[in-house]
Amino acid sequence: MKSYAPHDLLAAPALRTKSLFLTLVGFIAIEFMYQLGRDLLDYLLVNLSPGVAPVIFDGIAPIAVLYDLFGFAVLGLLVVFVARRNHDRGLRSLVGPFSLAKEDFRRAVLAAGVMHLMLLAIVPWGLDQAEMIPLSHWLRVAPVAIVALLVQTGAEELFYRGYLQQQLAARFRNPLIWMVLPNIAFAWVHWSNGADFTDSVYYVGWAFIFGLAASDLTARSGSLGAAIGFHLMNNVFAFMVADVAGFPGSGLALFLFPGDPLPLSPDDGAALVPDLTDSWLIWQMAVDLAVIGVTWLAVRVAIRR
């Protein structure tokens, strides 16, 4: 595809080591070592700060959410390590030209941020029914939260749209392969074991579509800058604007909706089969997919050259 020509240049360094076996080994190694790294962080936390550990593992307080987000630095470091070890590729090779990535990131943040603000003002989200936490507290945490979200989104983009997408693009010319396969992996890790089964299925589907949009931006721009900016603004609004009180990850939100505790297992009331006929779920799916679509389009226009 002519519109994806910049991606050919981005993935060109992967041609030297385009072995599917090496890529698969790298993928498994990153996933395995990342889990070990997170387990090690948790072990150190329990042994060095046993009083803080329960608050962190609860996943609700601001410090718990920040701990989880900053932990993605382990993923980013492992991607760079494996890319260097298996494919002789450095950070610049995965990200693309830094000057281009920086400009794409700036444009994407601006375009996606403005679009999210417009949607926040236009769509009836029902924020009048939510409790607003003290603004001064939110503003104190916000700068650290944005940095943490940048670490998280940057690491994920480096892995899925950087390492996996580019290595597969070097091996297969068909965009359906190098766009779909990395995003199946991206979607699968968004399965939430503690949530309702229907919500988990929905979230996996949402993540797959979101990942495709990020892959398209990467392919059109020739760097990870646009995808990181797109991803960052999505997560800033998802984590920092509104959430459900008492839910994991809600500690950074300015507005908190009242909600029932999440079922912990099917025996606690979680549906075993997703109810795709539920009118609220259909409405939520339509709105969320529309948000992905309009923000993707805004970023796509912003990075056009």
Side-chain angles (χ1 to χ4, degrees):
M1 293 176 61
K2 184 178 179 181
S3 58
Y4 286 175
H7 193 263
D8 293 338
L9 295 176
L10 178 63
L15 291 171
R16 296 192 301 269
T17 53
K18 62 180 182 179
S19 164
L20 188 60
F21 176 74
L22 275 180
T23 302
L24 180 60
V25 169
F27 170 72
I28 294 173
I30 291 169
E31 290 282 11
F32 178 72
M33 290 191 292
Y34 175 57
Q35 188 58 56
L36 282 182
R38 294 300 293 254
D39 288 345
L40 176 60
L41 289 178
D42 291 345
Y43 174 82
L44 293 174
L45 177 65
V46 169
N47 285 273
L48 297 177
S49 301
V52 177
V55 177
I56 297 293
F57 296 149
D58 195 37
I60 298 172
I63 190 174
V65 184
L66 293 174
Y67 172 84
D68 180 59
L69 294 174
F70 276 118
F72 279 85
V74 176
L75 175 63
L77 292 172
L78 285 172
V79 172
V80 174
F81 171 75
V82 170
R84 173 66 72 184
R85 179 68 178 81
N86 280 16
H87 308 279
D88 194 26
R89 300 183 61 192
L91 179 63
R92 185 185 182 282
S93 170
L94 296 169
V95 174
F98 287 147
S99 59
L100 176 63
K102 181 180 178 181
E103 180 61 18
D104 286 342
F105 174 79
R106 184 188 67 81
R107 293 186 184 189
V109 166
L110 182 60
V114 169
M115 186 55 65
H116 276 291
L117 286 173
M118 290 174 60
L119 292 170
L120 194 62
I122 296 172
V123 180
W125 301 106
L127 293 179
D128 56 320
Q129 302 175 28
E131 177 186 356
M132 181 178 174
I133 70 168
L135 184 60
S136 59
H137 170 74
W138 185 82
L139 289 173
R140 283 197 301 270
V141 177
V144 181
I146 292 173
V147 173
L149 287 167
L150 181 58
V151 170
Q152 179 237 342
T153 55
E156 289 190 335
E157 292 305 317
L158 200 62
F159 186 26
Y160 296 103
R161 261 66 69 178
Y163 178 72
L164 279 181
Q165 179 168 314
Q166 293 168 32
Q167 287 300 137
L168 288 174
R171 181 63 179 80
F172 303 100
R173 295 292 299 173
N174 191 338
L176 288 177
I177 297 176
W178 54 260
M179 289 182 71
V180 170
L181 291 182
N183 287 307
I184 290 176
F186 177 68
W188 183 250
V189 300
H190 284 78
W191 181 274
S192 179
N193 291 323
D196 178 271
F197 185 76
T198 299
D199 289 339
S200 292
V201 171
Y202 163 77
Y203 195 25
V204 166
W206 174 91
F208 179 72
I209 299 300
F210 181 87
L212 287 179
S215 289
D216 175 81
L217 294 174
T218 300
R220 291 179 184 277
S221 64
S223 82
L224 292 185
I228 294 174
F230 173 70
H231 199 162
L232 174 64
M233 284 296 98
N234 174 84
N235 285 19
V236 163
F237 280 82
F239 277 86
M240 298 182 64
V241 175
D243 210 326
V244 180
F247 275 35
S250 62
L252 303 179
L254 178 61
F255 296 95
L256 292 172
F257 290 97
D260 297 325
L262 286 171
L264 298 179
S265 70
D267 294 335
D268 295 321
L272 291 175
V273 179
D275 182 9
L276 299 180
T277 64
D278 182 81
S279 58
W280 171 249
L281 179 63
I282 294 173
W283 163 251
Q284 184 180 3
M285 288 174 65
V287 171
D288 286 348
L289 290 179
V291 169
I292 293 175
V294 296
T295 52
W296 162 78
L297 184 58
V299 173
R300 179 176 164 179
V301 171
I303 64 173
R304 182 179 296 169
R305 292 175 178 84

